[in-house]
Amino acid sequence: MTNDYFEDHSPGRGTMAPRAWYASSSATSLSLNGSWLLRVSPTADARDESFAEPGFDAADWAEVTVPGHWVLQGDGAFGRPAYTNHLYPFPVDPPRVPTENPTGDHLYRFDLPEDWPDDGGAVLRFDGVESCARVWLNGTRLGEFKGSRLPHEFAVGHLLEPSGNVLAVRVHQWSAGSYLEDQDQWWLPGIFRDVTLRHRPEGCAGDFFVHASFDHRTGQGTLRVESDTAGRVSVPALGIDVATGATVTVPVRPWSAEVPTLYDGELVTAGERVPLRIGFRTVELADGLIRVNGTAVLFKGVNRHEWHPGTGRALDPETMRRDVLLMKQHNINAVRTAHYPPHPAFLDLCDEYGLWVIDECDLETHGFTEQDWRDNPVDDDRWTPALLDRAARTVERDKNHPSVVIWSLGNEAGTGRGLTAMAEWIHHRDPSRLVHYEGDPNSRDTDMYSRMYAGHAEVERIGRELDGGTHKRRRLPFILCEYGHAMGNGPGGLAEYQRLFETYDRLQGGFVWEWIDHGIAHPGLGYAYGGDFGEELHDGNFVCDGLVFPDRRPSPGLLEYKKVIEPVRIHGDGADGTVTVTNRYDFADLAPLAFEWSYQVDGETVETGPLAVPRLAPAESAVVKLPPRPAGPEDGETRWTVRAVLAADTAWAPRGHEVAWGQFPVTERTRPVLRPAVGPVSGDGAITLGPARFDPRTGALGSIGTVEVSGLRLDVWRAPTDNDEGTDWLTGTRTAALWRNAGLHRMRHRLDAVELGENTLTVRTRVAPAAREFGLDTDYRWTSDGDRLRLTVSVRPDGEWPVPLPRLGVRLALAAADEVRWFGAGPHEGYPDTRAAARLGRYESTVDELQTPYVRPQENGARADVRWAEIGGLRIEGDPAFYFTARRWTTERLDAAAHLTDLTPGDAVWVNLDHALHGIGTASCGPGPLPRYQLRAEGAEFAFVLSQLR
């Protein structure tokens, strides 16, 4: 076999030099997307290339859609997806790959349109092919390339025919390039981005570089367009019409992520007119900070893999636009393109709508950690040409996007000479931007100090410049390029990170990992993850770690992040009736926002109105007087809510869209009072206490009025979250494993006594796991006023408890329940360290709607700060407020489920009334819950008042 081209170190042969991307021009173009013919072979035998000949008979080949991945088409006939986080799914023997190398031969026949010009040349462009391609046109081999998420072009004008053209592409799943693309994602071969034929007339535009800087001191913008082909540049709105290469300075409005001002322009050469969208802005490292237009920016960002649950990394324009709109609507201002350049159209959207972008090179060699980075390509000179090619194809393609403010060398590739060469090339080619790379601990090659998943305490030390390191590094700004691992329920602790970012200037924000769950739509499983396709090596659901679900519905984690990073801070003082509003934007004032107040009594809004807030500049605050308190009940729980909403429609959200909000109490809640008026009566086979009946032998509650209740007892177990299952980066422990080892998932309940007092029924128990000597002495004390029932639960730890508790409360089963009403935090779930976005109010739902559909089932759906809840004919009041959860399956069934389709409703609704919950944290990748959110086994007493709804 002749495998040199896919098993050598080179980036490829025959392709044109990289150049700037633009969506359209006056030159004719032809999309070659559509239905292609495909034949997949299990090996990469490169000898037989007869399929590339124009007369080849491919009548028995299958049809697939390009852009697309062949393993996501054909119902498995062409192979199946595979997911690994960092392990290479093939033997590590660079640059060699296995003989078992799925290879897809593609054919596409096309005619030129009738208006295709007959002068000049043509360029065939591939925007993304995984992982290596050899290309023929009309039987002539054009060349081959690697670099899956990068553009490659071939000059083909001399080969085109008016009709009957045959484009042949052989794609290998594995190649030497695969060693550079180990990026925590599904391995998905195919031609997954656009294929385009572009006419190149005589005198057409070649490569060009738009330099558009802004001087914040003078308000002047300076424009210079370098162009391989001489021509003219015009910007009508600015009165600019100059030759390429000339410099012109005029007053402009600058571009920023908050105010993304773009000027329409045009590059005109003898043979082509290319539209330009120009944003004037200057990026610099000044005074130890990343500054844009003279202002230090705070990144409120997210890492974004490209993903669609049906088409994988083949994204249509509407999906990309939806991502950008969702980000803007949830206060996200920055994107790190993890871990490769995105489809170029995505950056057009970032320019248009306003997002800071860290544009990352298509590079990761994470699997070499398994051998202590031995033979790592980035420290092997034989790979340096391929690394430089990847850097150049990233920078040259995307250099004209004002949204791109930082270049990133790649991700988790260790260190080495190749990375240094990339950094030097980028700094020389584009000194107008900064360079990032997280794996450079001393910032030798970079312009900032970057880390992943550092704990809060360490981030604070870095903010205070007490982190050590080299003298250079201590003088650089810091970003968390990954933090807040959004896997399953979570992430927790975001609010505490944000407080640090806003406290220390050196901390310039971070990027939550990541944007979307990479679940693959599956008819039997809902969404599939690693292992669901029979992979011999996989990393399970670690690929589902996003702020939006695979169908792009926002998760509670995204709603939490929106609240935590909101650009307007609203704090109030209910006692004196004032609210303090602070502008946390970097560039924008508050003129686009309108403010509204509302007043709640016991969770119900009784009056609303507008609130006049000054047009505050960035970092300015104002104390604003609220109106007089509306008349109403004097004994209710009252509070103000102030909202900041869009005053008019914008490109990314309609008028009235909520940007920020604050709530603050006026009068506190009055706890429920029940004065015992009746005592327990034993007889007729039951103990009766007010409206309730109990088993006389066990003291178990059987009913309240006509509402059947069963299984009420202390509960400490929850179905572990992905973060519970993870290893805490700070302690090295896995909380869920500690819980299971301690037996908390199989607690036993021993009945010690059933005691009837004058006004009380007391049930004394000990709750403890088998094989362990520690437990919880638990008393249930029941009283009644005749209509209502009060349960007081007293818990006393016995013995030496080695682990925190997952939860502490009671659970019970109702024979029938559907509608739910509550007064508490909502409308979505909230846990001790993920409840910033849940606001107090009255809410209604169904039991099914209370569930959060995490791709891997786990603890979910708790509503926090609940004063009272009504479900299944019962009203439950808490003393103090409690966490409320209701499901149609037990925690044990939830724990055992691997997919949502494993959960089917049972014959009861299980309700948890929790006094306290263990925090969430982000230990699926990072630190666990902060100490104050860890639920220690300590003495506690809490109560509920239960009554039948009338």
Side-chain angles (χ1 to χ4, degrees), residues 38 171 239 277 303 324 396 401 459 468-469 488 497 506 544 608 625 677 717 723 814 820 826 847 895:
L38 173 72
V171 180
R277 303 196 78 190
N303 287 273
V324 171
E396 301 295 5
H401 290 283
V459 170
Y497 276 115
R506 186 189 184 195
C544 296
T608 64
K625 189 69 174 174
W717 181 243
N723 286 302
L814 298 175
V820 183
V847 170
D895 190 3

Side-chain angles (χ1 to χ4, degrees), residues 696-700 748-756 761-768 775-780 794 796 798:
R697 296 166 302 156
T698 63
R748 298 293 180 260
H749 298 252
R750 185 185 74 205
L751 176 63
D752 288 340
V754 177
E755 300 172 354
L756 278 66
L761 167 63
T762 303
V763 181
R764 303 192 187 279
T765 68
R766 187 174 188 271
V767 183
L776 299 169
D777 292 331
T778 305
D779 295 342
Y780 308 90
S794 299
R796 300 175 301 280
D798 176 40

Side-chain angles (χ1 to χ4, degrees), residues 136-204:
W136 297 260
L137 181 61
N138 294 331
T140 298
R141 183 194 297 172
L142 303 179
E144 50 270 342
F145 59 84
K146 310 181 192 82
S148 297
R149 267 67 68 176
L150 297 164
H152 296 86
E153 293 181 325
F154 297 97
V156 297
H158 59 295
L159 299 174
L160 288 173
E161 301 291 342
S163 62
N165 293 285
V166 178
L167 176 58
V169 186
R170 171 165 283 172
V171 180
H172 303 288
Q173 174 157 18
W174 310 123
S175 69
S178 301
Y179 286 99
L180 305 179
E181 296 171 5
D182 188 22
Q183 291 143 323
D184 184 11
Q185 60 184 336
W186 293 95
W187 298 91
L188 298 174
I191 304 171
F192 68 95
R193 286 185 184 162
D194 303 289
V195 184
T196 309
L197 184 69
R198 282 188 167 176
H199 177 238
R200 307 312 296 145
E202 293 292 335
C204 66

Side-chain angles (χ1 to χ4, degrees), residues 409-636:
L409 303 180
N411 184 69
E412 292 177 320
T415 58
R417 292 163 289 177
L419 283 169
T420 298
M422 292 171 68
E424 290 176 347
W425 185 90
I426 293 173
H427 275 121
H428 176 75
R429 174 60 176 145
D430 183 21
S432 70
R433 293 179 174 94
L434 306 182
V435 172
H436 164 272
Y437 178 65
E438 181 271 338
D440 183 5
N442 293 317
S443 303
R444 178 185 63 184
D445 299 322
T446 60
D447 299 308
M448 63 205 68
Y449 179 31
S450 176
R451 288 283 302 282
M452 296 180 180
Y453 307 109
H456 297 82
E458 183 179 5
V459 170
E460 182 166 19
R461 288 195 298 274
I462 294 170
R464 298 173 62 192
E465 300 182 9
L466 299 177
D467 52 302
T470 63
H471 177 80
K472 176 188 176 184
R473 195 187 80 182
R474 293 197 307 273
R475 297 294 181 269
L476 292 178
F478 175 80
I479 64 169
L480 273 172
C481 68
E482 294 179 23
Y483 83 114
H485 196 253
M487 185 176 179
N489 188 335
L494 294 177
E496 288 75 17
Y497 276 115
Q498 192 64 25
R499 279 196 284 271
L500 292 172
F501 297 157
E502 294 178 4
T503 299
Y504 299 100
D505 289 343
R506 186 189 184 195
L507 307 180
Q508 293 199 249
F511 296 77
V512 167
W513 184 269
E514 67 157 307
W515 175 240
I516 188 169
D517 288 338
H518 300 204
I520 294 178
H522 189 285
L525 301 176
Y527 292 109
Y529 49 75
D532 287 334
F533 297 99
E535 306 101 302
E536 63 180 8
L537 190 68
H538 66 85
D539 287 291
N541 70 313
F542 201 68
V543 76
C544 296
D545 47 11
L547 290 171
V548 297
F549 296 118
D551 60 2
R552 283 177 165 75
R553 283 181 296 163
S555 76
L558 180 58
L559 303 180
E560 179 79 358
Y561 194 39
K562 175 186 178 181
K563 173 62 178 171
V564 165
I565 61 175
E566 60 188 6
V568 181
R569 290 283 185 257
I570 302 171
H571 300 285
D573 187 334
D576 68 2
T578 62
V579 59
T580 301
V581 178
T582 302
N583 182 354
R584 297 293 309 178
Y585 284 112
D586 293 326
F587 297 92
D589 62 29
L590 299 190
L593 301 180
F595 289 79
E596 304 171 350
W597 62 265
S598 60
Y599 188 72
Q600 289 81 38
V601 177
D602 288 335
E604 286 193 308
T605 297
V606 298
E607 196 168 335
T608 64
L611 184 67
V613 174
R615 180 172 178 162
L616 300 174
E620 284 188 343
S621 294
V623 177
V624 179
K625 189 69 174 174
L626 291 163
R629 286 173 52 188
E634 296 297 326
D635 58 350

Side-chain angles (χ1 to χ4, degrees), residues 669-682:
R669 173 189 183 221
T670 301
R671 291 187 172 187
V673 176
L674 183 149
R675 292 180 174 83
V678 299
V681 177
S682 180

Side-chain angles (χ1 to χ4, degrees), residues 920-943:
I920 297 298
T922 181
S924 54
C925 189
L930 286 163
R932 62 179 170 276
Y933 300 124
Q934 297 172 15
L935 180 55
R936 303 299 178 187
E938 298 172 343
E941 184 171 282
F942 49 94

